[in-house]
Amino acid sequence: MGTGKRGLIAMAVTVVCAVTVLAAPGTAFANAGRTPSPSTSPSPDPSASATPVPSKDLEAIREKLDHLYHDAAVATDAYNAAEEKAKQQSAAIVDLAQKIVKGQQKLDELRQRAGAAAAAQYRTGGLPDEAQLLLSDNPQQFLDGAGRVLEGERATKDLIVEMTRTQQDLKQYAADAADQWNKLEAGRKSKEAARKKIKQQIAAAEKLESRLEKKEKERLAELEQEAALQAQTAWLDSGILDEINGKASELGKKAVAYATAQIGKPYEWGAEGPKTYDCSGLTSQAWAAAGHGIPRTSQEQWKQLQHVDIKDMRPGDLIIYFDDASHVGMYIGDGAIVHAPRPGRTVTITGAGSMPILGVVRPDA
């Protein structure tokens, strides 16, 4: 085996192995919602004796938690985007590595053909076919030989062209693989930065909540519910529900059935089921179960799926929330959505207008 061949194949194998390490399935992330789902408040503990935090201070804490979880959601979407790109780049590198190996095999075959032609020339005493032809005094042999010479010349030219093209292809494959490798490495760093920020924001939120007494946590949950209810009431008071009467498509019914079957399962950032979910993990898996794949992140769902007016939405459509598209829920009808809210919450049903709506997208348009 030639040095060039060993080098190219070794590179291809190294690339594939490295990709396996860099792109090993880690935790992929989606977006946590800013508004938690309503839940029944536990009974107050009469033994609690600490001085209660004033409601205005609890409201400030609620807003602070809202901000922390939102930042975690934005970082989660960045992680998800990097994760999806890494999968694509890894697949591209593996494909290029396979092309390098096949290209090298093809080049070896072409060289063998060229070597066979050279050996044949040697066996004729080193004289090329043209010279052999001129020495012939048989007319028929001369005519037959002339045809073979022309065919040989064309075959030789074709062989040279094919060898040159194959060598150029190999060079380009190697350059493309190096480019994809650099992108993959950059994406890995981006993912790690996003992962770090997610953990920091969630840790800060959990630390803030841990300082509260039991009664204060209960009151905080009430404030969260009140804020969600107030937003939902304002949305319904606009009369929008009177305009929404779309019927679910067959695929939409399947997606809704899958999503609602997950109610009660915990939120976990980066999770796509079957035991835990994040917001876009739930919606993407629900539509996958319906037989229609959609983008993994809420931001890409907003970018790539067809937009529809709120008044035209139907069960199975996805409602994208906040100006940065950092949360998503699935509309199930009657002014409600099913979604995975945020860390510390479970998949639940809540009002479609309980969070600021950016817009609606339809996976199966």
Side-chain angles (χ1 to χ4, degrees), residues 30-33 73 76-77 80 267 278-280 297-299 325-327 340-341:
N31 317 308
T76 293
D77 224 41
N80 269 342
Y267 176 100
D278 56 28
C279 73
S280 60
T297 70
S298 58
Q299 290 184 346
S326 56
H327 189 64

Side-chain angles (χ1 to χ4, degrees), residues 34-48:
R34 295 174 62 186
T35 306
S37 58
S39 59
T40 303
S41 299
S43 301
D45 181 4
S47 64

Side-chain angles (χ1 to χ4, degrees), residues 95-170:
D95 182 61
L96 287 167
Q98 292 172 343
K99 287 181 177 179
I100 288 173
V101 172
K102 290 180 180 178
Q104 185 60 57
Q105 291 173 343
K106 180 180 179 181
L107 187 59
D108 288 344
E109 291 173 0
L110 293 173
R111 285 173 173 166
Q112 288 177 358
R113 286 169 54 189
Q121 180 175 318
Y122 176 78
R123 286 194 299 271
T124 61
L127 292 175
D129 288 341
E130 293 88 341
Q132 296 279 353
L133 178 63
L134 291 174
L135 293 175
S136 174
D137 56 3
N138 185 313
Q140 186 59 48
Q141 184 180 3
F142 183 89
L143 292 174
D144 292 342
R148 287 196 300 273
V149 167
L150 291 175
E151 290 176 1
E153 288 178 348
R154 284 195 294 268
T156 300
K157 289 179 181 178
D158 290 344
L159 182 60
I160 292 173
V161 168
E162 193 170 1
M163 287 179 66
T164 301
R165 183 170 57 246
T166 301
Q167 289 174 324
Q168 291 172 341
D169 287 345
L170 283 170

Side-chain angles (χ1 to χ4, degrees), residues 136-261:
S136 174
D137 56 3
N138 185 313
Q140 186 59 48
Q141 184 180 3
F142 183 89
L143 292 174
D144 292 342
R148 287 196 300 273
V149 167
L150 291 175
E151 290 176 1
E153 288 178 348
R154 284 195 294 268
T156 300
K157 289 179 181 178
D158 290 344
L159 182 60
I160 292 173
V161 168
E162 193 170 1
M163 287 179 66
T164 301
R165 183 170 57 246
T166 301
Q167 289 174 324
Q168 291 172 341
D169 287 345
L170 283 170
K171 184 177 180 181
Q172 186 61 52
Y173 293 154
D176 290 345
D179 182 57
Q180 291 293 343
W181 175 265
N182 290 334
K183 290 179 180 178
L184 187 65
E185 178 64 13
R188 184 189 65 79
K189 293 178 180 179
S190 176
K191 285 197 301 181
E192 288 307 310
R195 185 204 299 270
K196 183 178 180 180
K197 183 171 184 180
I198 293 166
K199 289 185 175 181
Q200 288 175 338
Q201 298 302 104
I202 293 179
E206 291 174 343
K207 182 177 181 180
L208 184 59
E209 288 184 284
S210 69
R211 296 173 180 170
L212 301 176
E213 298 293 333
K214 184 177 181 180
K215 286 185 177 180
E216 294 166 350
K217 290 180 180 179
E218 293 167 358
R219 179 54 186 155
L220 180 63
E222 290 175 359
L223 290 174
E224 292 173 342
Q225 293 175 36
E226 289 170 6
L229 180 59
Q230 184 177 6
Q232 174 72 357
T233 300
W235 185 69
L236 292 176
D237 286 347
S238 69
I240 186 64
L241 200 57
D242 296 333
E243 300 182 57
I244 303 173
N245 53 18
K247 303 298 182 182
S249 65
E250 289 304 311
L251 289 181
K253 291 177 183 178
K254 293 179 180 179
V256 169
Y258 180 95
T260 53

